[in-house]
Amino acid sequence: MEEGGAIPTPEVLSGEGIASMLRGAGCVFAEDEARLLLAEASGPAELADYVRQRLAGIPLEYIVGWADFAGRRISVVPGVFVPRRRTGLLVQEAADFLAARGAAGAVVVDLCCGSGAVGVGIAAKVRGIELHAADIDQVAVDCARRNMEPLGGQVHQGDLFEALPPELRGRVRVLAVNAPYVPTAAIATMPPEARLHETLACLDGGADGLDVHRRVAAGALDWLEPGGRLIMETSGRQAAGTASILAAAGLAVRTVRSAEVDGTAVAGTAPLA
């Protein structure tokens, strides 16, 4: 979205006028965003401020303070990764696996959790789980706690598995991971809303985009219970590489795609023995 120019005074802002300005600034869903800004603003002055921020390229979710994900309102703050619709595939895959394997008392971990959206989505679909999440960024951890603690989830700060309580080792039934998978050189081609406003650590996956996937796969078997499942978001282009990494780590692998949400994930199941 490109930066826009001056906007009318608050008194003359209307839904049609806001949508026109957003459309002119390159916003694809201008009408939907205009309706949301109108609904969320407490009055004309705040609405004008919201529109100015949006025309300046600030992500809509940062402006209103929440993102719509998997049918839930997820609190987000500036800098924290904004949950994408495609990541709903992780939630659905986890819920389906837990329904088949059993959910009562199951340990579910949302690793590289950001706002905690994946964990919240799973908890909303599946009752009786023991929910944990972890992220290296303290701002993300604080945000995830606001989203997950009302559901009984626990959020830990640290680098991947180092953040998790040791007593979870070998007990995780579902490890849901939305780790960065964008190659470093491709960051510059991302939409400015992401590359200018989200932290680099939640986007940059290293030279080939798969550095964090390797690190997660290397530790997964130590933390999964027998027959437990790692479900990792990736891209269509990166899927083969992600699958190869998980297979080399000793997991039985399958790749999952959803045209509905335009998502791709690789699921790796730990051996039963």
Side-chain angles (χ1 to χ4, degrees):
M1 182 170 175
E2 298 177 357
E3 291 190 8
I7 66 171
T9 59
E11 291 75 13
V12 298
L13 284 173
S14 66
E16 183 179 344
I18 294 169
S20 177
M21 287 183 286
L22 294 178
R23 197 180 307 111
C27 180
V28 177
F29 303 105
E31 289 76 14
D32 292 339
E33 292 197 9
R35 283 192 291 270
L36 180 58
L37 292 175
L38 280 163
E40 292 294 311
S42 61
E46 185 170 58
L47 177 60
D49 182 55
Y50 282 178
V51 174
R52 291 187 188 99
Q53 290 184 61
R54 191 67 185 112
L55 292 176
I58 305 297
L60 179 69
E61 294 81 3
Y62 291 167
I63 296 169
V64 299
W66 59 274
D68 182 1
F69 176 77
R72 307 277 298 196
R73 279 196 178 196
I74 304 297
S75 174
V76 293
V77 297
V80 172
F81 185 79
V82 175
R84 274 57 159 174
R85 184 168 179 263
R86 61 177 174 265
T87 307
L89 179 59
L90 294 188
V91 173
Q92 192 59 55
E93 283 294 306
D96 290 347
F97 177 73
L98 289 166
R101 179 73 185 269
V107 175
V108 174
V109 174
D110 178 0
L111 198 64
C112 303
C113 69
S115 66
V118 171
V120 169
I122 296 171
K125 284 181 172 288
V126 184
R127 304 290 183 179
I129 63 174
E130 180 182 340
L131 179 61
H132 293 262
D135 201 285
I136 196 170
D137 180 65
Q138 188 62 57
V139 175
V141 167
D142 292 341
C143 183
R145 284 177 176 150
R146 287 195 291 275
N147 287 312
M148 294 182 64
E149 286 182 348
L151 302 175
Q154 301 178 50
V155 186
H156 315 281
Q157 193 273 331
D159 187 14
L160 298 181
F161 298 108
E162 293 176 8
L164 299 179
E167 58 267 25
L168 297 185
R169 189 181 294 270
R171 295 181 50 223
V172 178
R173 189 161 301 171
V174 170
L175 179 62
V177 185
N178 185 15
Y181 53 84
V182 179
T184 302
I187 297 293
T189 68
M190 295 185 70
E193 291 181 359
R195 59 182 167 81
L196 297 180
H197 297 283
E198 294 174 330
T199 59
L200 186 61
C202 67
L203 302 174
D204 191 347
D208 66 352
L210 300 176
D211 284 357
V212 186
H213 287 197
R214 293 185 182 91
R215 295 181 60 212
V216 171
L221 283 181
D222 288 339
W223 292 87
L224 290 170
E225 68 179 16
R229 181 162 292 177
L230 164 62
I231 308 169
M232 182 175 290
E233 180 172 311
T234 189
S235 66
R237 180 175 296 180
Q238 302 283 66
T242 301
S244 177
I245 289 167
L246 268 59
L251 299 164
V253 173
R254 71 184 182 95
T255 299
V256 185
R257 293 184 173 85
S258 168
E260 180 182 359
V261 299
D262 191 27
T264 303
V266 175
T269 305
L272 286 171

